[in-house]
Amino acid sequence: MSEQTEHTEHTATSLEKPYQRPAPQEILGQAGRRGPFRYGERIQVTDTKGRKNTFLLDPHGYFQSVRGSFHHRDVVGMDEGSVIETDAGHELLLLRPLLADYVLSMPRGAQVVYPKDSGQVIAMGDIFPGARVLEAGVGSGALTMNLLSAIGESGHLLSIERREDFAQIAASNVDAWFGRHHPAWELRTGDFADVVAARVESGSIDRVVLDMLAPWENVEAASSALAPGGLFLAYVATVTQLSRTVEALRHSGLFTEPESWESMVRTWNVDGLAVRPDHRMVAHTGFLLTARRLATGSQPLTRKRPPARGAYDEGGYWLPDDVKERTSTDKKVRRVLRDCRAKQPADATVVRRGTADYSQDGDHA
């Protein structure tokens, strides 16, 4: 079951003035959004039924919903956590969205990695400040934002995405969250193995994080990039993908025994003595698996049981339909991309061609 929520991105109406690109934020990320509400920053409005709307505060903006409406100028200057009452007599809670809220409301070109899984990636992947991380399968940028928050400005994240339109949408989403281009982020398009061969020094990466259809095809490239003791982490949707990736890691002889798991989240209703689990839960969204890079010349520990017969079959190239992955239509992606480009800040992240030098590649702002 996919994770569901009432988060929506609400477009404030403004007939007096066309939309202007926001100026780069002086202090990166959430640290630059402390204090009272200001124009140009994102606000989250929650009603008494838990419905959430997220939008940017604009001098000419006007918020309207079934629970009431207000001009943006009426809430600018208020402290975060304020509760207002609308003309219709309904209460609205005003907060800045958390990263988990933003991920579920931002424009999407591809399916996002949900908070319950991205949290596991950060913790079980041991993503630390200053880490050198290689990510493939950027999608809409949800996991990218969590990785950048964890490594900080002193780390380095190289993100690789096959589709340039997805990369552009992700760049817009990430820039919008941090308020400007994150200095630790490099975004490139192309095939994972080709970009790694051209742009990554052997043994220079601390963590490799793959969110793609066939991560087993890139085990060799990942092993080349990882430093001894470095961690390989893959996020996959189906049992077949999980099996093939685990067996490819074992067959390579370059990694420790892989560990794999899934997480499920069930919320509870707590109301006096009426304490019970909710009827709905966030069950399967994907599998996570990790393995550590062995030192050169070392062999994995001997397994107590031999591998299953037929574990190393040679399959062809996989398509999203092969694993029943939900994909956006080209028309929807073009619409999302158009909207995202209009909202990018002045110093928007540049999407670079995967194997080109900085002096050769074209800027795709």
Side-chain angles (χ1 to χ4, degrees):
M1 170 183 173
S2 298
E3 186 165 336
Q4 298 180 351
T5 182
E6 292 292 336
H7 293 65
T8 58
E9 184 81 20
H10 174 84
T11 302
T13 57
S14 176
L15 302 177
E16 304 175 30
K17 183 179 177 183
Y19 184 87
Q20 292 185 345
R21 291 174 182 264
Q25 189 172 299
E26 292 185 8
I27 302 176
L28 192 70
Q30 301 97 308
R33 297 192 283 267
R34 295 188 175 106
F37 293 126
R38 299 180 293 274
Y39 288 123
E41 66 178 1
R42 187 168 272 98
I43 186 175
Q44 178 177 276
V45 178
T46 307
D47 65 23
T48 53
K49 289 193 174 182
R51 287 186 291 242
K52 295 179 172 65
N53 287 280
T54 306
F55 55 90
L56 293 175
L57 289 172
D58 183 87
H60 303 277
Y62 183 73
F63 172 77
Q64 188 170 9
S65 74
V66 296
R67 295 281 165 175
S69 58
F70 58 84
H71 290 278
H72 292 195
R73 62 175 179 266
D74 295 335
V75 301
V76 167
M78 287 186 176
D79 287 328
E80 185 175 8
S82 296
V83 176
I84 64 172
E85 184 173 330
T86 67
D87 294 337
H90 296 287
E91 295 178 338
L92 298 175
L93 171 64
L94 310 178
L95 291 167
R96 293 184 178 94
L98 303 176
L99 178 53
D101 299 317
Y102 175 70
V103 163
L104 297 175
S105 69
M106 69 186 188
R108 303 183 190 181
Q111 187 71 10
V112 300
V113 177
Y114 286 105
K116 78 178 185 68
D117 294 316
S118 58
Q120 293 263 315
V121 170
I122 299 302
M124 303 306 292
D126 191 31
I127 310 298
F128 57 91
R132 300 161 299 181
V133 182
L134 177 60
E135 174 199 18
V138 179
S140 298
L143 182 56
T144 303
M145 287 179 275
N146 284 275
L147 292 171
L148 288 170
S149 294
I151 67 173
E153 297 183 54
S154 61
H156 182 258
L157 173 64
L158 171 58
S159 299
I160 303 170
E161 171 58 51
R162 272 184 171 175
R163 293 185 53 166
E164 185 167 333
D165 50 0
F166 282 4
Q168 292 283 359
I169 292 171
S172 173
N173 286 333
V174 174
D175 289 347
W177 173 249
F178 287 105
R180 57 183 171 89
H181 169 67
H182 196 295
W185 192 30
E186 180 181 355
L187 175 58
R188 290 187 174 268
T189 57
D191 184 78
F192 178 80
D194 293 340
V195 177
V196 169
R199 310 299 308 174
V200 179
E201 182 182 351
S202 179
S204 64
I205 298 296
D206 298 310
R207 306 288 185 262
V208 169
V209 180
L210 303 183
D211 176 15
M212 57 175 57
L213 286 173
W216 59 87
E217 295 177 349
N218 294 299
V219 167
E220 182 179 352
S223 66
S224 173
L226 279 170
L231 186 137
F232 173 99
L233 187 147
Y235 176 75
V236 295
T238 69
V239 172
T240 307
Q241 292 170 295
L242 175 66
S243 174
R244 293 197 65 170
T245 307
V246 168
E247 296 301 340
L249 289 166
R250 288 171 176 160
H251 188 60
S252 72
L254 300 172
F255 291 88
T256 61
E257 177 65 13
E259 298 181 3
S260 55
W261 72 96
E262 66 174 335
S263 61
M264 303 182 187
V265 175
R266 182 172 69 174
T267 56
W268 281 66
N269 177 76
V270 181
D271 188 5
L273 296 178
V275 180
R276 56 169 177 76
D278 286 330
H279 298 302
R280 300 179 64 185
M281 68 177 293
V282 182
H284 176 77
T285 50
F287 297 102
L288 291 169
L289 65 100
T290 59
R292 302 287 297 277
R293 179 67 164 94
L294 294 171
T296 303
S298 295
Q299 296 293 322
L301 297 176
T302 303
R303 294 178 62 195
K304 294 183 179 180
R305 293 187 299 172
R309 184 177 299 176
Y312 307 115
D313 63 306
E314 296 296 331
Y317 180 71
W318 281 34
L319 298 173
D321 287 344
D322 295 329
V323 293
K324 306 300 181 185
E325 179 177 293
R326 292 181 296 174
T327 56
S328 301
T329 64
D330 290 340
K331 181 178 180 181
K332 178 184 176 182
V333 171
R334 287 195 298 270
R335 185 180 70 250
V336 172
L337 178 57
R338 182 180 64 250
D339 294 341
C340 286
R341 279 176 168 166
K343 297 178 181 179
Q344 283 187 293
D347 66 338
T349 295
V350 175
V351 179
R352 303 183 185 278
R353 294 188 179 93
T355 58
D357 294 329
Y358 284 94
S359 59
Q360 297 173 343
D361 56 6
D363 290 354
H364 307 285

